[in-house]
């Protein structure tokens, strides 16, 4: 995935048009169209505005990570910077890497699975 696809995906997920996004960011609609149809990337100040608008981070917009930096469930507890960093690293692993991390975590938790841990924390 690249920035153009990521931007279009976020815009469509939010259910807004290119014109609405342009108005929200106080930029011309031509810029949005150009960003979504080419490999052009906005300058850093506009990139930050886009990230703030979509409540995400610049690395996610630039496809450097699949971790958007947001917690979709507002009732979820806040996570530390270290936990966010670990999640970002985990999200970039392939399937086998994620499987290995999960198995390692289960061993470190005394063989407990995520289902066991949920029961314990209830």
């Amino acid at each position: 995935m690249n920035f153009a696809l990521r931007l279009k995906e976020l815009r469509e997920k939010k259910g807004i048009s290119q014109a609405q996004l342009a108005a929200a960011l106080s930029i011309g609609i031509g810029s949005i169209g150009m960003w979504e149809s080419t490999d052009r990337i906005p300058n850093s100040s506009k990139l930050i505005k886009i990230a703030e608008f979509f409540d995400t981070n610049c690395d996610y917009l630039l496809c450097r990570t699949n971790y958007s930096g947001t917690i979709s469930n507002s009732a979820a507890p806040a996570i530390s910077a270290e936990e966010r960093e670990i999640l970002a690293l985990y999200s970039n692993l392939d399937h086998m890497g994620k499987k290995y991390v999960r198995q390692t975590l289960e061993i470190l938790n005394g063989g407990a699975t995520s289902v066991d841990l949920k029961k314990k924390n209830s």
Side-chain angles (χ1 to χ4, degrees):
M1 182 173 278
N2 61 24
F3 172 78
L5 294 173
R6 178 75 34 101
L7 179 63
K8 185 174 183 178
E9 173 188 298
L10 287 169
R11 181 181 58 74
E12 290 177 345
K13 186 176 179 181
K14 199 168 181 96
I16 60 173
S17 67
Q18 287 183 347
Q20 290 170 312
L21 179 57
L25 299 174
S26 301
I27 59 173
I29 188 172
S31 294
I32 304 296
M34 188 170 46
W35 296 336
E36 286 188 4
S37 64
T38 68
D39 288 331
R40 294 196 178 207
I41 297 173
N43 65 34
S44 59
S45 64
K46 287 185 178 65
L47 190 64
I48 291 168
K49 285 177 80 170
I50 295 166
E52 289 172 348
F53 179 80
F54 288 111
D55 191 28
T56 191
N57 60 66
C58 293
D59 280 344
Y60 181 75
L61 288 173
L62 296 171
C63 303
R64 294 181 50 167
T65 183
N66 289 324
Y67 176 63
S68 67
T70 61
I71 298 175
S72 58
N73 182 355
S74 61
I79 61 173
S80 69
E82 181 181 22
E83 290 167 326
R84 281 193 299 276
E85 182 180 345
I86 290 168
L87 286 171
L89 292 169
Y90 178 83
S91 71
N92 288 321
L93 294 173
D94 64 9
H95 172 73
M96 289 305 294
K98 288 178 180 178
K99 184 176 178 180
Y100 178 75
V101 168
R102 182 181 181 93
Q103 289 172 343
T104 302
L105 289 171
E106 288 175 356
I107 291 168
L108 292 172
N109 278 303
T113 66
S114 59
V115 173
D116 296 332
L117 293 173
K118 285 180 185 175
K119 288 179 185 175
K120 181 181 175 183
N121 293 329
S122 304

